[in-house]
Structures are given as C-alpha cells and as structure tokens.
Amino acid sequence: MKVLVTGASGFIGQELAIALLGDSSFSEIVLTDLVKPHIPYATSGHGIALRSVSADLTNAEARQALLGSTTFDCIYLLHGIMSGAAEANLDLGLKVNLESQIAILNILRTTYPGTTKVVYASVGAVYGPAQKGEVVSENTVPVPQSSYGAQKLMIETLINDFSRRGLIDGRVCRLPTVTIRAGAPTGAASSFASAIFREPLSGKRTVLPVSRDQEMCICSPRTVIKNLITASKIPKEKFGLFRTVVLPGIKVSVQQMLDALEEVGGRAALELIDERLDEVTNRIVASWPADYDTSRAASLGFEPDISLLENVQEYFQRYINGN
Ligand SMILES: NC(=O)c1ccc[n+]([C@@H]2O[C@H](COP(=O)([O-])OP(=O)(O)OC[C@H]3O[C@@H](n4cnc5c(N)ncnc54)[C@H](O)[C@@H]3O)[C@@H](O)[C@H]2O)c1
C-alpha cells in the first residue's frame, strides 16, 4: 500500500510512521505536516520508499500539490487543532478540523472516486457528558459539548456518507485519550494525563488540575498505533453500513494513575506533582464519558489495551532508561 499520513509531525503521526516502516504491507510512505515531518529513522534496509513533505492543508494549492496528481491506497487523516485550542479559536478549528478535511475528501471523491482508504482519527469528545455509570458505544447519540467534538463529528458523518456512496473507503476510529504522550504539553484539556507521568519521571514538577476521583478512558500509544494499522486492513464489508468504531481503551481514575506513577518512579516522582484544582479543566474532563462498550471494535479485530502499569513501564524503558 502507498500511504499518506497527515499531521505526521504530531505525536500519533510520528509513532504511526515508525510502525508503518516496520510493516511490509506498506511499500511507500509520505509524511506531511506544516513543517516537514521528521523521518523517524534511517529507511535503508526497510525497502520502503519514504518521503517527507511540508504542506499547510488549509491552503488549496498545497492540497492540490500533494493530492492532485498522486494516488494513495490509504490516507491517515491525523492533522488537526486539538480540544482546548479549537475551543479557544473557533475560526482556526473550523479551518483546519472541518474545511481542510472536507477539501481533502472532495479531492479524493472527485479525482480518484472509490479508490482511497481513509483512516480518520476521531475522538470520544464527539459525545456529550455521560450520566454516572452510563456505558457509551457507537449506538449512543453523540451530542458534542465542544467545537472540537462537533468538528470531528461532522467529518465522521461525511466520511460515512462518502463511503456509503462508494466514493472513498472510510474508517472512522474514535480514539481514547492517548497516554503517555512524549514531548511537550499540548493545548488539549487532557494534556495533564500524560504530563503527570512524563514530567515527574524526568525529574520535573507538574500540576495536577483535576481531582483524584476523576475517571477517564485512556489508551497506550502502542495499542492505538496497532489499531490504527488494523483499521487500514479490515475488509470494508465487515463495517457494514456504519464506518465508525470506538477503539478500545481502559477506564482509570486519576488516583490509579498516581499509583502507577509511584510504582514506576517511586515516592520521589509522586512528590513532584502539585495538586492545584482548575475548575474549568476539572469540569471538561468530568464531562467526558469514561466507560465505553468496545465490543464492535473487538468483533472487527481491534486489540484491547495493555494495563496502565505496563504502559507506564514501557514509557519509562523507552524514554527514561533509554537515554
Ligand atoms: N492524542 C490523543 O490523545 C488523541 C485522542 C483522540 C483523537 N486524537 C486525534 O488524533 C489526531 C492526531 O493527534 P496527535 O495527538 O498526534 O495531535 P498533534 O497535535 O500532536 O498533531 C497534529 C498535527 O497536525 C498538524 N497540523 C495542524 N494544522 C495543520 C495544517 N493546517 N496543515 C497541516 N498540518 C496541520 C500539526 O502541525 C500537528 O503536527 C488528531 O486528529 C486528534 O484529534 C488524538
């Protein structure tokens, strides 16, 4: 498969690029982002052609240059403006999360009708607040309570409709919060869910802005990446009339996250957390469903997540012990 990854300088894009390079189903990979994406490691020996291209996908000429005369078997649509940033800047969110995605889907449906698999990274934020104990699934009516969630849901709907018409072959994956994210903090309200591991494990202080009894659904980078690759390989017939799937994650409380941090980093790591409740962040996080029924994902062949402790240990081995 010849594959394009948008948002490839981002966290998931970079992790996905590494995994694609190790998968013989992919023969040619193009990575694109606002700035030329970093190529994860030397391609020699992998037998996969790899190219990195800078493109602002809100720009029509840049989109045309990237997609107008090149066919891809599969496109991972990962670029976007995240939750907090999309809420703070409606115009930017609309431009990137909605308009640029519609424009790309329109190029695909008009220039190469029916030929391109599109794997779209959607999010649990398409749902509104869940009732206590409510289990959310693909059958739950999504009532987004953020512009980010609303923009994601609109693109989900379009991908489903274009797939119904046979114009693209879409796969919409609703991802849990991916934790632990390496690198810098983000504009997402969920940023703390990685920071409370990443910063203390590197000896840095960080703020915990939500209460310890807060629960959320998270997933390790390892499982999310495996499942995004699986998404491109499932026969379209298996999706039936609906191309949307809630990817597996695990429900954890903030207290359980702190316990896992202490188990891996010791008391010293735990002491680097400053608990400072931020009412706004706490309210946003409380509004996200934490319980998901992922039986559809299981029936389609997606993998369950590893345990939180394994996830933290893996991060520690890779980023702290590995340095
Ligand atoms: N990380 C998570 O926990 C999570 C959870 C659910 C869904 N998702 C979705 O997965 C996707 C990837 O997430 P991520 O964590 O890697 O995000 P990220 O913020 O790390 O990466 C997004 C990338 O999009 C790029 N981008 C923004 N505007 C662009 C433009 N105009 N043209 C081209 N590129 C542009 C950015 O430069 C950035 O590198 C996103 O669509 C996100 O909504 C992520």
Side-chain angles (χ1 to χ4, degrees):
M1 274 198 267
K2 181 172 175 180
V3 60
L4 172 70
V5 181
T6 73
S9 297
F11 167 52
I12 294 178
Q14 283 286 300
E15 294 286 326
L16 180 66
I18 294 170
L20 292 173
L21 280 168
D23 188 320
S24 58
S25 328
F26 301 96
S27 55
E28 196 174 335
I29 303 171
V30 178
L31 306 177
T32 187
D33 205 303
L34 286 171
V35 287
K36 229 176 161 183
H38 167 72
I39 290 183
Y41 52 81
T43 53
S44 57
H46 294 281
I48 297 178
L50 181 62
R51 215 154 44 89
S52 173
V53 182
S54 67
D56 178 347
L57 295 171
T58 62
N59 179 298
E61 280 167 24
R63 285 192 299 264
Q64 207 53 38
L66 190 66
L67 293 158
S69 55
T70 315
T71 50
F72 291 95
D73 300 302
C74 176
I75 299 186
Y76 281 93
L77 285 180
L78 302 183
H79 71 285
I81 302 298
M82 300 310 116
S83 55
E87 195 61 24
N89 190 336
L90 178 60
D91 288 319
L92 182 64
L94 287 171
K95 216 170 153 187
V96 179
N97 295 346
L98 194 61
E99 291 164 21
S100 80
Q101 307 277 4
I102 294 175
I104 290 171
L105 295 172
N106 274 332
I107 294 177
L108 299 180
R109 79 170 169 90
T110 52
T111 318
Y112 320 105
T115 61
T116 317
K117 268 183 197 167
V118 175
V119 181
Y120 179 60
S122 190
V123 66
V126 296
Y127 298 106
Q131 303 299 319
K132 190 97 189 137
E134 185 183 351
V135 180
V136 167
S137 76
E138 294 84 358
N139 297 326
T140 306
V141 177
V143 188
Q145 294 304 301
S146 66
S147 295
Y148 173 63
Q151 289 151 10
K152 289 281 185 185
L153 184 60
M154 287 189 264
I155 297 303
E156 282 195 6
T157 307
L158 199 61
I159 290 176
N160 268 285
D161 188 46
F162 285 5
S163 300
R164 178 189 64 83
R165 299 179 76 113
L167 298 171
I168 60 167
D169 175 6
R171 288 99 202 286
V172 172
C173 299
R174 289 183 183 154
L175 274 52
T177 297
V178 188
T179 306
I180 304 165
R181 179 187 178 104
T186 68
S190 59
S191 185
F192 79 89
S194 286
I196 60 170
F197 297 106
R198 184 184 59 229
E199 309 305 335
L201 290 175
S202 322
K204 296 180 194 150
R205 302 204 73 80
T206 193
V207 171
L208 173 62
V210 299
S211 59
R212 286 175 181 239
D213 61 356
Q214 194 77 254
E215 288 180 322
M216 52 193 299
C217 182
I218 63 168
C219 188
S220 64
R222 192 220 289 192
T223 305
V224 162
I225 298 302
K226 266 196 197 160
N227 282 335
L228 284 175
I229 291 187
T230 300
S232 73
K233 297 185 177 174
I234 298 170
K236 63 178 174 207
E237 295 72 28
K238 280 192 89 173
F239 283 91
L241 292 176
F242 190 41
R243 298 304 183 97
T244 302
V245 58
V246 175
L247 290 195
I250 53 170
K251 182 175 86 166
V252 291
S253 67
V254 169
Q255 182 61 55
Q256 286 171 316
M257 292 182 179
L258 296 176
D259 293 345
L261 171 66
E262 185 174 11
E263 191 148 348
V264 176
R267 190 83 211 153
L270 202 58
E271 283 169 359
L272 291 170
I273 303 255
D274 298 316
E275 282 182 63
R276 214 176 297 146
L277 193 75
D278 176 79
E279 292 294 351
V280 176
T281 309
N282 200 50
R283 205 168 38 245
I284 293 174
V285 177
S287 78
W288 296 335
D291 258 321
Y292 288 89
D293 170 358
T294 55
S295 49
R296 175 167 162 84
S299 71
L300 287 168
F302 291 99
E303 276 188 29
D305 196 15
I306 55 177
S307 74
L308 176 59
L309 189 58
E310 277 175 277
N311 183 6
V312 181
Q313 283 165 336
E314 206 163 278
Y315 176 87
F316 188 78
Q317 287 305 331
R318 182 170 168 194
Y319 292 100
I320 311 296
N321 263 5
N323 287 334

